[in-house]
Amino acid sequence: MNENRSRGRPSERSLADSSATNVVDCPLCREDGGELILRTARLRIVRVDDPDYPGFCRVILNAHVRELTDLDAATLARIIAAVCAVEEAQRAVLAPEKINLASLGNQVPHLHWHVIPRDRDDAHFPQPIWGERQRAPGPERIAARIALLPLLAAEICRRIAPQ
């Protein structure tokens, strides 16, 4: 890790107190960004309302930070641990063929990760979910995943220690 990262980055306290670093025109500062599953001092985990991808979650830093390298080591470790915990929960509960992780921020430059359970018969495979749709997903698979969403939320909460 770069030892000079501490220059100009938000303090640990400001990252924990998201109200100190919110940006008015940022949608992830104004809103949860999905259906809230869990909120800690540093981050929140939400379920994205995407009918093709039940179980699609976002891990969102509460403070308005643009880049991963702007984080102090403790916050970085906790946010990555949370992304891994969501992935582990999705694998345990939903049993997808693959998990896609993405942290783009081009449209919303507020640090967040997309954690997306994928299967060979989903709507976009083998393309990213933002690519061209390849097929209609099987309604029985979608219904089965929707039925598991309460278990997924409970498993995510169980895996993430208070942060």
Side-chain angles (χ1 to χ4, degrees):
M1 289 202 179
N2 182 349
E3 293 178 25
N4 295 325
R5 279 195 356 200
S6 63
R7 292 184 191 153
R9 78 167 136 65
S11 70
E12 177 71 16
R13 182 177 171 145
S14 69
L15 289 175
D17 179 13
S18 64
S19 64
T21 58
N22 283 349
V23 174
V24 176
D25 63 346
C26 173
L28 293 180
C29 288
R30 287 190 322 264
E31 304 161 11
D32 285 333
E35 181 183 322
L36 188 63
I37 294 173
L38 175 71
R39 181 186 303 275
T40 71
R42 286 187 177 88
L43 60 89
R44 63 191 178 272
I45 298 166
V46 301
R47 188 176 62 78
V48 176
D49 184 20
D50 187 322
D52 289 338
Y53 297 95
F56 174 175
C57 294
R58 283 191 195 107
V59 177
I60 305 167
L61 193 67
N62 288 334
H64 188 84
V65 173
R66 296 174 63 94
E67 306 297 345
L68 190 62
T69 53
D70 291 335
L71 298 177
D72 59 82
T75 302
L76 174 62
R78 287 193 172 155
I79 208 99
I80 295 300
V83 171
C84 290
V86 171
E87 178 182 307
E88 289 170 341
Q90 288 174 336
R91 292 178 69 194
V93 174
L94 304 176
E97 292 181 50
K98 180 74 177 93
I99 301 286
N100 286 175
L101 298 176
S103 180
L104 306 171
N106 295 337
Q107 293 183 24
V108 181
H110 179 124
L111 200 57
H112 65 285
W113 281 261
H114 302 268
V115 188
I116 311 159
R118 299 293 307 272
D119 293 291
R120 291 187 183 279
D121 63 348
D122 71 33
H124 295 85
F125 191 89
Q127 302 300 317
I129 69 163
W130 299 285
E132 188 173 327
R133 188 179 178 94
Q134 304 294 307
R135 69 195 61 77
E140 60 286 335
R141 179 150 209 143
I142 297 293
R145 285 265 169 92
I146 289 171
L148 293 171
L149 293 179
L151 292 173
L152 176 62
E155 186 66 15
I156 289 169
C157 292
R158 186 185 75 75
R159 289 176 182 266
I160 297 185
Q163 303 200 15

